[in-house]
PDB file of all heavy atoms in Angstrom:
ATOM      1  N   GLY A 490       3.606 261.937 195.994  1.00 85.00           N
ATOM      2  CA  GLY A 490       4.874 261.287 196.473  1.00 85.00           C
ATOM      3  C   GLY A 490       4.900 261.090 197.957  1.00 85.00           C
ATOM      4  O   GLY A 490       5.292 259.966 198.421  1.00 85.00           O
ATOM      5  N   ASP A 491       4.470 262.077 198.704  1.00 92.00           N
ATOM      6  CA  ASP A 491       4.408 261.882 200.167  1.00 92.00           C
ATOM      7  C   ASP A 491       3.380 260.897 200.597  1.00 92.00           C
ATOM      8  O   ASP A 491       3.571 260.201 201.556  1.00 92.00           O
ATOM      9  CB  ASP A 491       4.154 263.284 200.847  1.00 92.00           C
ATOM     10  CG  ASP A 491       5.190 264.290 200.639  1.00 92.00           C
ATOM     11  OD1 ASP A 491       6.354 263.806 200.394  1.00 92.00           O
ATOM     12  OD2 ASP A 491       4.974 265.477 200.792  1.00 92.00           O
ATOM     13  N   ARG A 492       2.311 260.864 199.746  1.00 92.00           N
ATOM     14  CA  ARG A 492       1.254 259.882 200.101  1.00 92.00           C
ATOM     15  C   ARG A 492       1.794 258.423 199.941  1.00 92.00           C
ATOM     16  O   ARG A 492       1.446 257.559 200.776  1.00 92.00           O
ATOM     17  CB  ARG A 492       0.076 260.080 199.166  1.00 92.00           C
ATOM     18  CG  ARG A 492      -1.191 259.301 199.592  1.00 92.00           C
ATOM     19  CD  ARG A 492      -2.388 259.640 198.641  1.00 92.00           C
ATOM     20  NE  ARG A 492      -2.698 261.028 198.652  1.00 92.00           N
ATOM     21  CZ  ARG A 492      -2.855 261.773 197.573  1.00 92.00           C
ATOM     22  NH1 ARG A 492      -2.558 261.207 196.314  1.00 92.00           N
ATOM     23  NH2 ARG A 492      -3.176 263.043 197.650  1.00 92.00           N
ATOM     24  N   ASP A 493       2.647 258.221 199.008  1.00 91.00           N
ATOM     25  CA  ASP A 493       3.155 256.828 198.824  1.00 91.00           C
ATOM     26  C   ASP A 493       4.087 256.468 200.032  1.00 91.00           C
ATOM     27  O   ASP A 493       4.048 255.325 200.520  1.00 91.00           O
ATOM     28  CB  ASP A 493       3.980 256.763 197.497  1.00 91.00           C
ATOM     29  CG  ASP A 493       3.112 256.908 196.326  1.00 91.00           C
ATOM     30  OD1 ASP A 493       1.869 256.645 196.406  1.00 91.00           O
ATOM     31  OD2 ASP A 493       3.675 257.247 195.224  1.00 91.00           O
ATOM     32  N   GLU A 494       4.849 257.455 200.493  1.00 93.00           N
ATOM     33  CA  GLU A 494       5.670 257.177 201.637  1.00 93.00           C
ATOM     34  C   GLU A 494       4.920 256.922 202.831  1.00 93.00           C
ATOM     35  O   GLU A 494       5.225 256.039 203.738  1.00 93.00           O
ATOM     36  CB  GLU A 494       6.627 258.398 201.842  1.00 93.00           C
ATOM     37  CG  GLU A 494       7.685 258.133 202.895  1.00 93.00           C
ATOM     38  CD  GLU A 494       8.731 259.246 203.011  1.00 93.00           C
ATOM     39  OE1 GLU A 494       8.634 260.184 202.185  1.00 93.00           O
ATOM     40  OE2 GLU A 494       9.575 259.203 203.866  1.00 93.00           O
ATOM     41  N   LEU A 495       3.798 257.673 203.051  1.00 93.00           N
ATOM     42  CA  LEU A 495       2.922 257.472 204.151  1.00 93.00           C
ATOM     43  C   LEU A 495       2.299 256.067 204.120  1.00 93.00           C
ATOM     44  O   LEU A 495       2.176 255.413 205.176  1.00 93.00           O
ATOM     45  CB  LEU A 495       1.825 258.551 204.247  1.00 93.00           C
ATOM     46  CG  LEU A 495       0.826 258.364 205.381  1.00 93.00           C
ATOM     47  CD1 LEU A 495       1.509 258.542 206.719  1.00 93.00           C
ATOM     48  CD2 LEU A 495      -0.360 259.402 205.187  1.00 93.00           C
ATOM     49  N   ASP A 496       1.821 255.654 202.946  1.00 92.00           N
ATOM     50  CA  ASP A 496       1.231 254.300 202.785  1.00 92.00           C
ATOM     51  C   ASP A 496       2.250 253.274 203.161  1.00 92.00           C
ATOM     52  O   ASP A 496       1.858 252.308 203.928  1.00 92.00           O
ATOM     53  CB  ASP A 496       0.850 254.099 201.271  1.00 92.00           C
ATOM     54  CG  ASP A 496      -0.284 254.946 200.823  1.00 92.00           C
ATOM     55  OD1 ASP A 496      -1.019 255.474 201.776  1.00 92.00           O
ATOM     56  OD2 ASP A 496      -0.458 255.149 199.645  1.00 92.00           O
ATOM     57  N   HIS A 497       3.510 253.411 202.824  1.00 91.00           N
ATOM     58  CA  HIS A 497       4.544 252.405 203.191  1.00 91.00           C
ATOM     59  C   HIS A 497       4.705 252.391 204.676  1.00 91.00           C
ATOM     60  O   HIS A 497       4.772 251.338 205.314  1.00 91.00           O
ATOM     61  CB  HIS A 497       5.845 252.715 202.478  1.00 91.00           C
ATOM     62  CG  HIS A 497       7.027 251.884 202.881  1.00 91.00           C
ATOM     63  ND1 HIS A 497       7.085 250.534 202.528  1.00 91.00           N
ATOM     64  CD2 HIS A 497       8.063 252.173 203.629  1.00 91.00           C
ATOM     65  CE1 HIS A 497       8.184 250.027 203.105  1.00 91.00           C
ATOM     66  NE2 HIS A 497       8.813 250.934 203.753  1.00 91.00           N
ATOM     67  N   THR A 498       4.789 253.546 205.284  1.00 91.00           N
ATOM     68  CA  THR A 498       5.022 253.623 206.781  1.00 91.00           C
ATOM     69  C   THR A 498       3.800 253.036 207.512  1.00 91.00           C
ATOM     70  O   THR A 498       3.941 252.294 208.439  1.00 91.00           O
ATOM     71  CB  THR A 498       5.253 255.083 207.225  1.00 91.00           C
ATOM     72  OG1 THR A 498       6.369 255.623 206.502  1.00 91.00           O
ATOM     73  CG2 THR A 498       5.441 255.189 208.669  1.00 91.00           C
ATOM     74  N   TYR A 499       2.604 253.361 206.971  1.00 91.00           N
ATOM     75  CA  TYR A 499       1.381 252.860 207.642  1.00 91.00           C
ATOM     76  C   TYR A 499       1.303 251.336 207.564  1.00 91.00           C
ATOM     77  O   TYR A 499       1.049 250.698 208.599  1.00 91.00           O
ATOM     78  CB  TYR A 499       0.198 253.504 206.943  1.00 91.00           C
ATOM     79  CG  TYR A 499      -1.147 253.006 207.446  1.00 91.00           C
ATOM     80  CD1 TYR A 499      -1.661 253.458 208.686  1.00 91.00           C
ATOM     81  CD2 TYR A 499      -1.947 252.172 206.688  1.00 91.00           C
ATOM     82  CE1 TYR A 499      -2.846 252.994 209.130  1.00 91.00           C
ATOM     83  CE2 TYR A 499      -3.226 251.735 207.081  1.00 91.00           C
ATOM     84  CZ  TYR A 499      -3.652 252.180 208.374  1.00 91.00           C
ATOM     85  OH  TYR A 499      -4.867 251.785 208.844  1.00 91.00           O
ATOM     86  N   ARG A 500       1.614 250.748 206.457  1.00 90.00           N
ATOM     87  CA  ARG A 500       1.560 249.273 206.284  1.00 90.00           C
ATOM     88  C   ARG A 500       2.663 248.680 207.102  1.00 90.00           C
ATOM     89  O   ARG A 500       2.373 247.558 207.697  1.00 90.00           O
ATOM     90  CB  ARG A 500       1.723 248.934 204.804  1.00 90.00           C
ATOM     91  CG  ARG A 500       0.437 249.221 203.913  1.00 90.00           C
ATOM     92  CD  ARG A 500       0.585 248.597 202.562  1.00 90.00           C
ATOM     93  NE  ARG A 500       1.763 249.005 201.840  1.00 90.00           N
ATOM     94  CZ  ARG A 500       1.784 249.929 201.017  1.00 90.00           C
ATOM     95  NH1 ARG A 500       0.707 250.705 200.753  1.00 90.00           N
ATOM     96  NH2 ARG A 500       2.955 250.272 200.390  1.00 90.00           N
ATOM     97  N   THR A 501       3.824 249.191 207.120  1.00 88.00           N
ATOM     98  CA  THR A 501       4.937 248.596 207.852  1.00 88.00           C
ATOM     99  C   THR A 501       4.654 248.639 209.391  1.00 88.00           C
ATOM    100  O   THR A 501       4.868 247.679 210.103  1.00 88.00           O
ATOM    101  CB  THR A 501       6.204 249.434 207.568  1.00 88.00           C
ATOM    102  OG1 THR A 501       6.528 249.398 206.187  1.00 88.00           O
ATOM    103  CG2 THR A 501       7.402 248.779 208.343  1.00 88.00           C
ATOM    104  N   ALA A 502       4.062 249.756 209.830  1.00 82.00           N
ATOM    105  CA  ALA A 502       3.784 249.877 211.316  1.00 82.00           C
ATOM    106  C   ALA A 502       2.722 248.902 211.717  1.00 82.00           C
ATOM    107  O   ALA A 502       2.691 248.371 212.823  1.00 82.00           O
ATOM    108  CB  ALA A 502       3.366 251.330 211.615  1.00 82.00           C
ATOM    109  N   ARG A 503       1.708 248.609 210.753  1.00 76.00           N
ATOM    110  CA  ARG A 503       0.694 247.728 211.120  1.00 76.00           C
ATOM    111  C   ARG A 503       1.067 246.255 211.107  1.00 76.00           C
ATOM    112  O   ARG A 503       0.517 245.418 211.861  1.00 76.00           O
ATOM    113  CB  ARG A 503      -0.449 247.886 210.144  1.00 76.00           C
ATOM    114  CG  ARG A 503      -1.034 249.258 209.999  1.00 76.00           C
ATOM    115  CD  ARG A 503      -2.016 249.610 211.019  1.00 76.00           C
ATOM    116  NE  ARG A 503      -3.293 248.885 210.801  1.00 76.00           N
ATOM    117  CZ  ARG A 503      -4.396 249.197 211.443  1.00 76.00           C
ATOM    118  NH1 ARG A 503      -4.431 250.133 212.328  1.00 76.00           N
ATOM    119  NH2 ARG A 503      -5.510 248.506 211.234  1.00 76.00           N
ATOM    120  N   THR A 504       2.141 245.911 210.373  1.00 74.00           N
ATOM    121  CA  THR A 504       2.509 244.497 210.227  1.00 74.00           C
ATOM    122  C   THR A 504       3.612 244.094 211.210  1.00 74.00           C
ATOM    123  O   THR A 504       3.862 242.956 211.374  1.00 74.00           O
ATOM    124  CB  THR A 504       3.018 244.235 208.799  1.00 74.00           C
ATOM    125  OG1 THR A 504       4.073 245.121 208.453  1.00 74.00           O
ATOM    126  CG2 THR A 504       1.826 244.441 207.814  1.00 74.00           C
ATOM    127  N   LYS A 505       4.256 245.016 211.863  1.00 66.00           N
ATOM    128  CA  LYS A 505       5.341 244.703 212.798  1.00 66.00           C
ATOM    129  C   LYS A 505       4.732 244.062 214.001  1.00 66.00           C
ATOM    130  O   LYS A 505       3.720 244.350 214.532  1.00 66.00           O
ATOM    131  CB  LYS A 505       6.112 245.980 213.211  1.00 66.00           C
ATOM    132  CG  LYS A 505       7.139 246.399 212.146  1.00 66.00           C
ATOM    133  CD  LYS A 505       7.958 247.540 212.661  1.00 66.00           C
ATOM    134  CE  LYS A 505       9.030 247.910 211.672  1.00 66.00           C
ATOM    135  NZ  LYS A 505       9.875 249.023 212.205  1.00 66.00           N
TER     136      LYS A 505
END
Side-chain angles (χ1 to χ4, degrees):
D491 291 340
R492 193 180 297 130
D493 294 339
E494 187 174 356
L495 178 66
D496 291 342
H497 174 72
T498 302
Y499 177 73
R500 288 193 300 268
T501 302
R503 303 277 288 193
T504 55
K505 277 187 178 180

